[in-house]
Amino acid sequence: VQTGGNLALTNQGETQLTLPQLGGNLTLQSGGRVTQGGAWLVNGSAQVTAVGSNMMLNNAGNLIKGPVTLSGSNVSLALAGDGVLGTLNVDSLIFFAQGKIQLGGGQVNNSLNLLARGSSITQTAGSVLTVNGLTTLNTGVPRSTCSPGCKVMRVTMPSIGA
């Protein structure tokens, strides 16, 4: 599939999408697992939904310039550059970006694992991300600091019983 505009796809079953280049936004709704046949090059945002199903979007050549909104079970996502996450509604997420990561809000029912090779993980102002399991944040640098004016990520963690 190659298009200069937006692309909206709905599939009742498992979806494997090869997307060489998309000039606009991607909206994908799948009734089953979502995989990819090659790197996705999306000049806009991406909204991928596979409620109750896994998503494996871990091609290291993926480039999605806008926010990525995800709804599904266990999700893995890799991006070649910076990564902006929109709203999340997933059981678990493993997210690797060669650049910086900016988080949105939403819900992660189990674990959240983020690796930002671009040395920073921030969160969109005003958004709240609730994580009900283990959260691992890695900026890929041995030491990082937060200078005045930097954004601080807020993660709602479950309380530990007495």
Side-chain angles (χ1 to χ4, degrees):
V1 175
Q2 186 165 354
T3 179
N6 297 330
L7 179 64
L9 296 171
T10 300
N11 186 22
Q12 299 299 318
E14 190 171 306
T15 304
Q16 181 179 41
L17 181 61
T18 301
L19 193 65
Q21 187 164 356
L22 181 63
N25 301 321
L26 170 66
T27 303
L28 173 61
Q29 295 183 340
S30 179
R33 182 174 76 145
V34 176
T35 58
Q36 53 187 149
W40 289 3
L41 304 174
V42 179
N43 286 324
S45 64
Q47 180 176 352
V48 184
T49 303
V51 176
S53 296
N54 296 334
M55 287 187 247
M56 293 185 299
L57 307 174
N58 48 10
N59 187 302
N62 288 337
L63 184 58
I64 302 173
K65 294 186 178 178
V68 180
T69 297
L70 301 165
S71 288
S73 189
N74 301 308
V75 178
S76 62
L77 174 64
L79 293 178
D82 293 345
V84 178
L85 292 174
T87 303
L88 299 175
N89 184 10
V90 299
D91 288 333
S92 66
L93 175 62
I94 298 171
F95 182 38
F96 171 80
Q98 284 290 343
K100 301 171 184 177
I101 292 177
Q102 181 177 342
L103 290 170
Q107 176 84 26
V108 178
N109 295 320
N110 294 310
S111 62
L112 174 66
N113 296 288
L114 304 176
L115 173 59
R117 292 285 181 148
S119 78
S120 72
I121 299 172
T122 60
Q123 186 174 21
T124 303
S127 63
V128 175
L129 177 62
T130 302
V131 180
N132 293 319
L134 179 65
T135 299
T136 304
L137 307 174
N138 186 340
T139 59
V141 294
R143 182 176 175 197
S144 59
T145 59
C146 187
S147 60
C150 70
K151 295 180 182 176
V152 177
M153 185 178 72
R154 295 178 307 264
V155 177
T156 304
M157 303 293 283
S159 59
I160 299 173

